[in-house]
Structure formats: C-alpha cells, structure tokens
Amino acid sequence: MQLPIAYGEEFVRHLTALSRQTPFNYKDLQQIKAMNREDLAERLKSECPQISDFVLLNSAREVAERVHQKRMELAVASARSSSVQGAASLLEFVVQLFSATV
C-alpha cells in the first residue's frame, strides 16, 4: 500500500520539475518535503502572510507554479534576480520572491 505524498513533497517535486534545478540546500528541502499544507503555511506566515494564505487555499502544484512564475517575472524584470536565486533556503527564497516589488 502506497502512502499519500506529503503536501511539501509534492510542492518541491513540482517546483523542481518546472525549474529544472534545485539550488536550495538539501536539509531545507527534506524539511519542506515532510510538511503538510498547514505546517508550510505556518512556517511562512510570519515572514510573508500573502504566500501563507496562498498555500492554504491552493494545491501544492499550484503553489509551485506560482513560485516558479514569480521567479521568472522577477528574473525578467530585475537584475536583483541573481541575488534572490542564490538563496540557500527554499523558504527564504519564496519569502524573498513574494516580498519583492516587481
């Protein structure tokens, strides 16, 4: 019997597939993969309430697609994207993306 995939794991898998890369540290990715929707939203809530709410209202795939879209918009719109892409933590990266003004 196959166990259901955790929300965080589906999010990381889909984001990796969209981005074709994972420039984030391994420990961070493992922690996120183990999170359910509420854990991930709670972790992001204090730093970026808008993405926290988005996590609660959408599937892991939709969140990954939005993060990827936001990343691409920022890369096109700003030279700052290189500093954002260099974040070691996926959660820090997501907060930076949604806190940046494009």
Side-chain angles (χ1 to χ4, degrees):
M1 183 175 173
Q2 189 177 15
L3 296 173
I5 296 174
Y7 185 90
E9 184 169 353
E10 184 177 351
F11 166 70
V12 170
R13 281 184 185 179
H14 194 60
L15 183 60
T16 301
L18 290 170
S19 301
R20 302 202 194 304
Q21 60 182 343
T22 54
F24 311 107
N25 73 42
Y26 179 79
K27 183 178 178 183
D28 185 55
L29 291 174
Q30 294 309 309
Q31 289 174 348
I32 294 168
K33 284 181 178 182
M35 292 180 179
N36 62 32
R37 178 191 312 258
E38 292 76 20
D39 292 339
L40 183 57
E42 186 61 33
R43 171 60 181 81
L44 293 167
K45 189 175 188 174
S46 65
E47 297 177 53
C48 190
Q50 66 192 39
I51 189 61
S52 177
D53 292 341
F54 193 77
V55 167
L56 289 173
L57 297 172
N58 295 279
S59 73
R61 292 178 67 86
E62 291 168 322
V63 173
E65 289 168 4
R66 181 66 181 126
V67 168
H68 179 70
Q69 175 188 16
K70 191 77 165 169
R71 182 181 191 181
M72 295 298 102
E73 288 171 2
L74 191 58
V76 168
S78 172
R80 292 183 301 144
S81 65
S82 62
S83 65
V84 171
Q85 290 175 352
S89 165
L90 176 56
L91 295 179
E92 290 173 10
F93 170 75
V94 170
V95 169
Q96 288 177 357
L97 279 177
F98 283 85
S99 298
T101 55
V102 178

